[in-house]
Amino acid sequence: MRYCNYCKHITPGEAMYCQNCSRTYNIRLCPRHHPNPRAAEVCSQCGSRELSTPQPKKSFSTSVGLGIGSLLLSILVSRFTGWVLLLSLCVYFLYFIAKALQNVNNLLPDMSLGAFLGSLFLGWMMLPQFLKNGISKVIRKKK
C-alpha cells in the first residue's frame, strides 16, 4: 500500500504511480519505466527527457506522524465502524441484561438505546462499500 503526499490517496500494492493523480513515488520514470532519481532531468538508461513528476517530498508533519493520523482515522472508520458498533451492541446487551435482572420496571429508555444502536449497526452494514469508502475519503480530506 502506498500513500501519495500530493493527493493524499492510498494506492494498494507496490504501484509505481498513484492511481488518483498519476504521480510517481519518490522516483522519476521515463516512458519505458526506467527508474531515475528524483532530481534527474534525463533518463540515465535511455536518455529520454520525458520523465514523470514525482510526488512532493514528505513534509515534517507527515514524517512525525501528524498527517498519518487522518489516514489512520479514515481507515478505522471505513474498516472498523461495523466492529465498533457490534462491540457496543454486545456491551449494551450485557448492561441491559444486568439491569433487567435487578429491576424490570422502567426499561423503556434502555430499550430505546438498544433500538438506536441496532439501527445504526444495521444501517452501516447495509451501506454499499463505495459509500463507506467515500465517508473515509471525506474524513481524510477534512484533516
Side-chain angles (χ1 to χ4, degrees):
M1 182 178 332
R2 294 219 165 168
Y3 177 73
C4 180
N5 296 326
Y6 180 72
C7 68
K8 313 294 189 236
H9 188 263
I10 298 173
T11 304
E14 292 296 319
M16 298 170 84
Y17 293 93
C18 174
Q19 289 179 343
N20 195 43
C21 67
S22 300
R23 291 182 179 242
T24 54
Y25 296 100
N26 300 320
I27 58 171
R28 297 186 83 178
L29 297 172
C30 71
R32 295 181 183 170
H33 296 284
H34 298 137
N36 294 285
R38 174 184 285 279
E41 293 185 19
V42 176
C43 177
S44 61
Q45 294 180 13
C46 67
S48 175
R49 291 191 168 274
E50 297 177 36
L51 298 176
S52 64
T53 305
Q55 67 176 346
K57 290 183 179 180
K58 289 183 182 180
S59 65
F60 178 73
S61 64
T62 304
S63 300
V64 296
L66 298 177
I68 300 299
S70 63
L71 174 66
L72 291 176
L73 178 64
S74 67
I75 290 172
L76 287 175
V77 167
S78 66
R79 301 286 189 247
F80 299 114
T81 301
W83 288 106
V84 169
L85 287 171
L86 182 62
L87 179 64
S88 64
L89 274 172
C90 292
V91 169
Y92 163 78
F93 180 72
L94 294 174
Y95 162 77
F96 184 79
I97 294 297
K99 191 163 182 183
L101 290 175
Q102 290 175 357
N103 185 5
V104 292
N105 298 324
N106 202 14
L107 289 177
L108 184 60
D110 296 322
M111 291 169 64
S112 300
L113 176 63
F116 177 71
L117 286 174
S119 60
L120 276 179
F121 180 69
L122 179 64
W124 180 260
M125 298 313 290
M126 293 183 76
L127 274 178
Q129 189 63 39
F130 74 91
L131 285 178
K132 292 177 186 177
N133 293 341
I135 292 169
S136 173
K137 285 181 183 180
V138 166
I139 289 173
R140 193 176 331 138
K141 288 184 180 182
K142 283 187 177 181
K143 294 291 178 180

